[in-house]
Amino acid sequence: MLQDMLENVRRKAPLIHNITNYVTVNDCANILLACGASPIMSDDMGEVEEITSLCAGLNINIGTLNQRTLPAMLAAGKKANALGHPVVLDPVGAGASTLRTASARRLLENIRFTVIRGNISEIRALASGAVSTRGVDADGAYSVTEENLNRAVEEIRAFSRETGAVIAVTGAIDIVTDGERAFCIRNGRPEMSRITGTGCQLSAMTAAYAAANPGQALTAAAAAVCAMGLCGEMAMARMTPLDGNASYRNYIIDAVYHLTPQELERGAKYELR
Amino acid sequence: MLQDMLENVRRKAPLIHNITNYVTVNDCANILLACGASPIMSDDMGEVEEITSLCAGLNINIGTLNQRTLPAMLAAGKKANALGHPVVLDPVGAGASTLRTASARRLLENIRFTVIRGNISEIRALASGAVSTRGVDADGAYSVTEENLNRAVEEIRAFSRETGAVIAVTGAIDIVTDGERAFCIRNGRPEMSRITGTGCQLSAMTAAYAAANPGQALTAAAAAVCAMGLCGEMAMARMTPLDGNASYRNYIIDAVYHLTPQELERGAKYELR
Amino acid sequence: MLQDMLENVRRKAPLIHNITNYVTVNDCANILLACGASPIMSDDMGEVEEITSLCAGLNINIGTLNQRTLPAMLAAGKKANALGHPVVLDPVGAGASTLRTASARRLLENIRFTVIRGNISEIRALASGAVSTRGVDADGAYSVTEENLNRAVEEIRAFSRETGAVIAVTGAIDIVTDGERAFCIRNGRPEMSRITGTGCQLSAMTAAYAAANPGQALTAAAAAVCAMGLCGEMAMARMTPLDGNASYRNYIIDAVYHLTPQELERGAKYELR
């Protein structure tokens, strides 16, 4: 099942429009190329509608949000909706400032998102309006554990029904749900949180998977989440004693480059709840 | 002949002013340092004329073009022209949107470029005004092949005469011409297109080669194109089975760092037409 | 002494707000994660005060300065001052343009900086108002040597007294002073200047060290400078013949990731003057 998702990315090589932050943008472009897709970055009001029309999917990421690019996000998202292109939202830092929370909500009110991917703090901030995030990393107080997993799944399922989007919450255990079925995914490594932008990269890759698999947003998002986690595991197996987070970043993208559909199918660790 | 071009970059260590996109800017800075030049990035109207006056060359790249930086590109380009500094244009995504095509043409109308470097789609969009680009990569329908090489050379030669700039078109076969002589270059590896920004990096490096070799824009641009392709080959020879596009990116910059003038002279694969 | 500084970074994991350039921002985020801190990048007036309030320290870097972010730097700096958070200034390219020199001075007039870190040209431009910088690298004519070290220490000490900030000048010999005691540090490698952004990375890391060690700005800044230089040495020891500046960049961040407080204490090469 998951392997078809990656096969379609490789076969269709979807062009993905990214309006994203300047911190991790290079890694987002390289991971899109690694998985078999193609990136274009464009954030000016004067061209985003045209650019997104050329593409197969749109990835909106609000890291380093600013007042110049927010209108471009709205315009591109509406255009992508009108064209029936999948749109992914990464609400980086939602909850950390009023601007980010309010902007993310404004995006939600104006754009139908296919997938929303964030950590549990960000997703909770969107769902509840609460403001409290530790930087752009999952707040320890809010992490999803085996103990609170059922409760977390219900909470995220409810948010998925409310928004009509597949919600992908990543952390120690990842949850991906369309409001009905929920994938609980146990791929990945804790060391991935010591690299900036693994979440941003996953969101970009999720847009590629969704674009290459129309009408299958849940499975596509789950496949992207499994792929990222699995590549984190494969990259960790390659680490030498002197390698740290900079080498690990490269090895993860390298692993995405080489990941085969069969490896993804075999290596994905998930259960459906 | 080509070796002198690199020797001069190493000896003069030209400072290159870059107004460039935020996707690949870090790699552009590192490749400039790798080849022996020195980078400065500055895009604000309030300082670009002063900054470019301190430099030996200017590199204008319209990836992630926005309405704030376009006036800065125009001002810096005019200043560099007035000072007789070489100016390189990388029309990233020309043809993909009206904004990019129109902005690139506006730059062409207001600035005398020493070298314009792009893929065949971008160069054709500039030459003809046609809008059709697949992201920022060469559109397959337009690629230069052995079969259409003579026709492509004539077309690019004509655009060079029209603009007065050396035109460098990169792809499976690279063409560099000043409207008279044309280098057809067969260095490089197809895997380079799986890394974001090898074109941007080459444009930055071309500005360094042109700045270090005044009055020799054709040979300087051809040398830079050969150097990039050759380093792509050398870096590929170093790849291990687990290495993917992230490691390849690093290895190419590493190869530029170590490339000697003699290796460039011996490894360059070109014919003159 | 220095080892306590790093131990506190690891133990407290301070969240650092960065308003920084788009050239080296990814490396700044990764080095903060490598040393044990956590980064957040935010530069919009609409949120910087809120963001900096969540953080333990602020790092202001004027590379790729523009008129949109300067007011955000001023607002965030004042807020951090009001909250008693340490604030670091990296005056990238001060002296290279009137905008940069004037903006850096305006920041100095409005914000009490805990540490100012730059190369000798930048610091002299701030101290004297002189305009003359070679890009963002130390101008050869101005470098600190064994011969002029005493004079340089006096000059920097005077600037520290004038500003009330710890001044960290990095180059072949680094000087870190609070106007009284001065650390003269001989860690580091000349090859570090062939990587873009080692200075920016050090400034970000200095903010983390200062945030984790309140009231000990001098020792914290000296520890960060020693750590960066020492990691440059350790990374160099790992270089293979084909490795160049791209791999070296990764190895330095990797070394920061693995550096232990004991290694820092033993490897730091400094004298107090």
Side-chain angles (χ1 to χ4, degrees), chain B residues 152-165:
Chain B
V153 167
E154 281 322 305
E155 186 186 338
I156 297 163
R157 208 172 244 150
F159 186 53
S160 173
R161 284 182 187 146
E162 189 190 318
T163 55

Side-chain angles (χ1 to χ4, degrees), chain A residues 13 43 47 50 238 254 258, chain B residues 22-23 97-98 134 137 243 247:
Chain A
D43 65 15
E47 68 168 12
E50 249 178 300
R238 189 182 165 190
D254 284 353
H258 287 295
Chain B
Y22 56 79
V23 184
S97 77
T98 308
R134 182 174 162 79
D137 305 316
D243 287 334
S247 291

Side-chain angles (χ1 to χ4, degrees), chain B:
Chain B
M1 181 175 64
L2 299 189
Q3 71 183 18
D4 300 335
M5 303 294 111
L6 175 52
E7 262 162 23
N8 287 330
V9 174
R10 293 269 159 78
R11 191 165 52 78
K12 297 183 184 175
L15 181 60
I16 304 301
H17 177 195
N18 297 270
I19 307 181
T20 189
N21 68 77
Y22 56 79
V23 184
T24 65
V25 58
N26 184 271
D27 294 328
C28 289
N30 273 327
I31 207 159
L32 282 170
L33 288 161
C35 77
S38 207
I40 187 163
M41 275 63 183
S42 155
D43 65 15
D44 194 86
M45 265 307 282
E47 70 169 10
V48 288
E49 291 176 300
E50 250 178 299
I51 294 290
T52 220
S53 301
L54 288 177
C55 292
L58 172 63
N59 173 39
I60 295 178
N61 175 307
I62 66 166
T64 63
L65 184 68
N66 64 70
Q67 287 159 7
R68 183 180 69 78
T69 53
L70 183 59
M73 292 175 179
L74 287 164
K78 286 177 187 174
K79 186 70 178 183
N81 276 174
L83 294 165
H85 296 175
V87 188
V88 173
L89 173 65
D90 188 332
V92 177
S97 77
T98 308
L99 177 70
R100 298 227 192 169
T101 311
S103 299
R105 285 170 166 283
R106 199 164 147 214
L107 291 166
L108 273 183
E109 284 157 16
N110 286 278
I111 299 166
R112 285 190 317 280
F113 286 99
T114 313
V115 185
I116 303 171
R117 193 222 60 84
N119 62 41
I120 187 69
S121 307
E122 292 159 349
I123 297 299
R124 277 194 171 138
L126 279 194
S128 71
V131 175
S132 160
T133 284
R134 182 174 162 79
V136 293
D137 305 316
D139 187 323
Y142 274 149
S143 60
V144 175
T145 60
E146 298 295 348
E147 286 66 41
N148 65 19
L149 181 57
N150 275 328
R151 196 152 36 94
V153 167
E154 281 322 305
E155 186 186 338
I156 297 163
R157 208 172 244 150
F159 186 53
S160 173
R161 284 182 187 146
E162 189 190 318
T163 55
V166 168
I167 309 296
V169 171
T170 52
I173 309 171
D174 309 314
I175 301 168
V176 184
T177 180
D178 63 354
E180 303 292 330
R181 285 183 303 158
F183 287 79
C184 296
I185 300 171
R186 289 180 179 78
N187 288 107
R189 295 280 311 188
E191 294 85 353
M192 297 172 81
S193 65
R194 298 286 299 276
I195 303 168
T196 194
T198 47
C200 301
Q201 293 173 45
L202 171 54
S203 294
M205 198 158 71
T206 299
Y209 274 68
N213 296 284
Q216 302 184 75
L218 175 65
T219 315
V225 170
C226 289
M228 191 74 195
L230 181 58
C231 288
E233 297 166 21
M234 295 165 87
M236 185 50 62
R238 188 183 166 190
M239 296 281 279
T240 65
L242 294 175
D243 287 334
N245 60 333
S247 291
Y248 191 34
R249 180 257 303 266
N250 292 319
Y251 295 165
I252 291 174
I253 297 175
D254 284 353
V256 169
Y257 186 89
H258 287 295
L259 184 71
T260 66
Q262 294 70 29
E263 286 172 323
L264 173 56
E265 192 73 50
R266 279 197 308 264
K269 301 191 204 66
Y270 63 89
E271 49 158 335
L272 279 161
R273 291 206 178 188

Side-chain angles (χ1 to χ4, degrees), chain A residues 22 49 52 64 78 81 94 104 108 136 143 149 156 210 231 253-254 260:
Chain A
Y22 56 80
E49 291 175 301
T52 220
T64 64
K78 287 176 187 172
N81 275 174
L108 273 182
V136 292
S143 59
L149 181 57
I156 297 163
C231 288
I253 297 175
D254 284 353
T260 66

